[in-house]
Amino acid sequence: AFWASEGECTANPSFMLMECAASCQSYDGPDTSVNCPLNETAIPAYKDGEMNAMFQQIADGKWDRYRPNILLRPGERGNEDFPWIVTLDEFLTPEECDV
């Protein structure tokens, strides 16, 4: 979604339209409402604002042991609609990766 928002769907269509079809809104396959139906009675995993609060805690240093790298946060580039984009560069230890 990030690269699509940066205009890559038109700048690099041979890759993006195939590999990122959903983000580029170029998916012409099976109806996702049939293959991936939403459960209308499902209880949301997060209440309003809770996910943003979690990302803000990451930004404030609470999860520094995972070496977070904040690539984008809401409000950057003058647009409140941008999502948080964060990598946790040490989420797994080398030993966990070897298993």
Side-chain angles (χ1 to χ4, degrees):
F2 173 74
W3 293 113
S5 72
E6 293 292 304
E8 286 297 309
C9 297
T10 53
N12 187 10
S14 61
F15 176 81
M16 291 292 292
L17 298 180
M18 292 299 295
E19 299 300 322
C20 305
S23 295
C24 292
Q25 298 177 352
S26 65
Y27 184 69
D28 194 25
D31 185 354
T32 56
S33 66
V34 173
N35 295 331
C36 305
L38 293 176
N39 180 347
E40 299 296 331
T41 62
I43 298 170
Y46 293 96
K47 294 178 184 165
D48 284 346
E50 288 180 341
M51 187 174 290
N52 187 66
M54 176 195 66
F55 281 110
Q56 190 60 56
Q57 288 177 346
I58 292 171
D60 292 343
K62 184 172 182 178
W63 293 18
D64 279 355
R65 69 183 176 273
Y66 298 119
R67 261 194 53 227
N69 183 15
I70 299 170
L71 304 172
L72 188 67
R73 66 176 74 207
E76 284 188 356
R77 302 181 189 174
N79 190 334
E80 288 297 319
D81 293 332
F82 279 131
W84 285 93
I85 300 177
V86 176
T87 61
L88 300 174
D89 295 338
E90 291 187 7
F91 185 72
L92 298 174
T93 65
E95 294 79 21
E96 290 171 316
C97 292
D98 289 338
V99 173

